[in-house]
């Protein structure tokens, strides 16, 4: 079907008859359709796996020289059939009405490895044996479809992060319940209940902003809730503890005003440290879900949003109890409308640094980046709190208002704009990064060119998810995992290039390729089951 992207083809890149990849001892993919038989004879005829022919660090993993487009790999043996052609006679199904991903296909071109059908079936997709399985008679296809669709792909263990989420959520609930209970004892129970409802609005806005940022590689919902729970519960509790144990005695020893010093010095130090500490928890408990700068911004922003939620309850309830509706309205305008992103931006700067370090890997590198990442958030927090403190010490209301406006338009507005631009640049950078690293695998047959285009653009990913949702809930989940695992594979490749002697990165790559192979099989089998 000209003008549409067809189903992704299982690259003929060294697979068993059950669709599993043939890998070298070090976990690298065997050569794929780009391989030249002549280039592999020296190693393959002598019994050496092609995957052992590793490139030098920083070079593309060619493993063997590329053959013409669409040509099957010989692995050192005479070629029997063209790549993508069935080993037995197989009636190719009619192209579906909802081709995989709805991706625009250049006129006159076919998907990688697909054979051209005759008659009105121009542009059909490859038969099931493109996955390494022999084509079966039509009467056996329903059984094969059912078997492949029921067989779940390999799963990564995530017990640690699930346990972390539950523990953090329970502690956060206890901390929030403690504050609400104390308000009720002080006679502000109704004000606290109203404040909870009002505080939901700012955090909902921040959640939508984070969701938009996170569309590139959506994080597991449990991980996102863990970030919110950390900020809204544990970080708040740690902040109060640090202020009581360390900051207040230090201010008294120095002879500083505890209220002013607590706002200008104590809050930036203790709050940013407490909020940012959760990033270390996530990066070590769920390291494959925080492995790039965008992930760090997502988790950091949600931790800041959770902290602001609990803090807003305290501010809103106090203003309502003391000044009534006018008081909570003023506080909501300042904290809920003008500054809903203050805390998220501060913590996201720490997350940005942690994400960069996590992409490269290494515990010491991540911890060092975390310490450096605290600095910009602390400085921004210090700048705004200093402005608010100066406005509070003004002699007239006009002077206080002008001080706040100068601080808002001179500090916060540029920070908001800079943060938005930064996120846009990072998203664009992630697209280029994914394409550059996925192309390394496409060069040896693990991805088709159409898949590279899909995985490296937001438009392509969105189209693939829409297609998968139309195919069913299970297919939608498989597509989300396929995109996520492919993004992680790009990180694996980057780490191997930077640290070629780290065996753990090669093992991670092998596991990722195994999962991707199974997911691709399920996606194509799902399409053939529906339209075949």
């Amino acid at each position: 079907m000209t003008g549409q992207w067809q189903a992704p083809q299982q690259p003929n890149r060294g697979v068993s008859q059950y669709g599993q990849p043939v890998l070298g001892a070090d976990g690298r993919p065997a050569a794929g359709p780009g391989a030249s038989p002549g280039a592999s004879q020296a190693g393959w005829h002598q019994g050496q796996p092609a995957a052992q022919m590793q490139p030098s660090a920083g070079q593309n993993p060619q493993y063997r020289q590329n053959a013409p487009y669409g040509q099957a790999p010989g692995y050192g043996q005479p070629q029997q059939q063209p790549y993508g052609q069935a080993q037995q006679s197989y009636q190719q199904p009619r192209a579906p009405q909802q081709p995989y991903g709805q991706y625009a296909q250049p006129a006159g071109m076919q998907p990688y490895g697909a054979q051209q059908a005759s008659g009105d079936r121009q542009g059909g997709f490859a038969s099931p044996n493109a996955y390494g399985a022999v084509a079966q008679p039509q009467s056996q296809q329903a059984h094969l479809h059912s078997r492949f669709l029921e067989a779940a792909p390999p799963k990564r263990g995530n017990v640690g992060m699930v346990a972390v989420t539950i523990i953090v959520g329970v502690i956060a609930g206890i901390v929030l319940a403690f504050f609400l209970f104390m308000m009720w004892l002080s006679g502000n129970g109704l004000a606290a209940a109203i404040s909870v409802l009002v505080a939901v609005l700012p955090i909902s806005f921040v959640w939508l902003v984070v969701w938009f940022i996170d569309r590139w590689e959506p994080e597991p919902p449990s991980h996102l809730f863990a970030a919110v729970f950390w900020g809204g519960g544990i970080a708040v509790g740690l902040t109060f503890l640090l202020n009581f144990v360390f900051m207040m005695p230090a201010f008294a020893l120095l002879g500083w005003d505890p209220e002013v010093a607590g706002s200008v010095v104590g809050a930036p130090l203790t709050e940013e440290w407490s909020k940012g500490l959760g990033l270390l928890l996530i990066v070590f408990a769920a390291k494959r879900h925080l492995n790039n700068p965008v992930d760090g911004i997502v988790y950091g922003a949600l931790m800041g949003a959770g902290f602001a939620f609990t803090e807003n309850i305290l501010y809103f309830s106090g203003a309502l109890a003391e000044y009534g509706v006018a008081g909570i309205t003023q506080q909501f305008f300042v904290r809920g409308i003008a500054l809903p992103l203050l805390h998220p931006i501060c913590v996201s700067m720490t997350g940005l640094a942690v994400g960069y370090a996590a992409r490269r890997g290494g515990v010491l590198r991540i911890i060092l980046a975390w310490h450096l990442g605290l600095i910009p958030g602390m400085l921004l927090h210090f700048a705004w709190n200093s402005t608010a403190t100066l406005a509070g010490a003004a002699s007239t209301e006009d002077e206080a208002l002008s001080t706040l406006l100068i601080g808002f338009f001179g500090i916060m507005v540029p920070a908001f704009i800079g943060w938005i631009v930064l996120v846009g640049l990072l998203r664009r950078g992630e697209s280029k990064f994914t394409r550059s690293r996925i192309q390394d695998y496409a060069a040896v047959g693990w991805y088709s060119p159409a898949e590279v285009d899909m995985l490296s653009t937001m438009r392509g990913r969105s189209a693939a998810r829409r297609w998968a949702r139309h195919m069913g809930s299970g297919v939608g989940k498989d597509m989300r995992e396929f995109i996520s695992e492919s993004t992680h594979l790009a990180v694996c490749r980057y780490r191997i290039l930077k640290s070629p002697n780290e065996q753990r990165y090669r093992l991670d790559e092998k596991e990722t390729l195994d999962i991707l192979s199974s997911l691709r099989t399920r996606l194509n089998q799902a399409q053939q089951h529906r339209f075949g």
Side-chain angles (χ1 to χ4, degrees), residues 249-298:
F251 297 153
L253 182 63
L254 295 172
W256 294 355
D257 185 335
E259 184 176 354
V260 174
S263 175
V264 176
V265 179
L269 293 177
T270 59
E271 291 181 12
E272 299 311 318
W273 188 89
S274 300
K275 290 179 291 185
L277 192 63
L279 290 165
L280 291 180
L281 179 67
I282 291 181
V283 77
F284 291 129
K287 54 186 176 182
R288 70 171 300 271
H289 289 290
L290 204 172
N291 55 23
N292 63 67
V294 175
D295 290 347
I297 286 180
V298 166

Side-chain angles (χ1 to χ4, degrees), residues 54-243:
Q54 297 294 335
S56 300
Q59 297 180 355
N60 288 336
Q62 296 299 330
Y63 307 120
R64 289 187 256 174
Q65 300 299 317
N66 288 338
Y69 176 79
Q71 181 174 327
Y75 302 111
Q77 300 296 334
Q79 178 61 37
Q80 300 298 325
Q81 287 185 306
Y83 173 64
Q85 182 174 327
Q87 297 178 11
Q88 300 178 16
S89 176
Y90 178 78
Q91 183 65 36
Q92 195 166 26
R94 186 183 299 271
Q97 298 301 314
Q98 295 258 359
Y100 173 62
Q102 290 287 334
Y103 192 86
Q105 181 80 11
M109 295 185 64
Q110 295 187 82
Y112 189 64
Q115 66 179 33
Q116 182 74 22
S118 60
D120 62 351
R121 285 192 278 267
Q122 297 284 325
F125 51 89
S127 58
N129 64 298
Y131 291 88
V134 177
Q136 300 293 329
Q138 189 71 26
S139 60
Q140 300 181 23
Q141 290 180 18
H143 171 69
L144 279 177
H145 296 327
S146 176
R147 178 171 62 86
F148 273 106
L149 290 173
E150 292 175 0
K155 296 292 184 182
R156 295 181 184 272
N158 202 29
V159 177
M161 191 59 204
V162 172
V164 167
T165 302
I166 294 174
I167 295 172
V168 171
V170 170
I171 296 176
I174 293 174
V175 171
L176 185 59
F178 171 78
F179 284 119
L180 294 177
F181 179 71
M182 296 301 295
M183 293 178 189
W184 178 75
L185 288 180
S186 63
N188 294 330
L190 179 60
I194 296 175
S195 298
V196 170
L197 299 177
V198 177
V200 169
L201 299 178
I203 196 174
S204 299
F205 168 74
V206 176
W207 186 279
L208 289 176
V209 172
V210 172
W211 169 83
F212 182 81
I213 297 172
D214 194 39
R215 289 188 307 151
W216 174 255
E217 183 196 3
E219 304 301 321
S222 61
H223 296 28
L224 300 179
F225 280 114
V228 175
F229 293 154
W230 178 276
I234 296 180
V236 173
L238 284 175
T239 298
F240 274 85
L241 182 63
L242 292 173
N243 282 329

Side-chain angles (χ1 to χ4, degrees), residues 297 345 348-349 352 411-426:
I297 286 180
I345 289 177
S348 67
M349 294 299 96
L352 173 67
I411 299 174
M412 298 312 305
V413 170
F416 294 155
I417 296 175
W419 187 73
I420 293 171
V421 172
L422 175 63
V423 170
L425 293 176
L426 288 174

Side-chain angles (χ1 to χ4, degrees), residues 513-527:
L513 289 170
D514 287 342
I515 295 174
L516 284 168
S517 180
S518 178
L519 289 170
R520 185 188 281 111
T521 298
R522 287 166 57 84
L523 289 170
N524 268 9
Q525 291 292 339
Q527 175 159 298

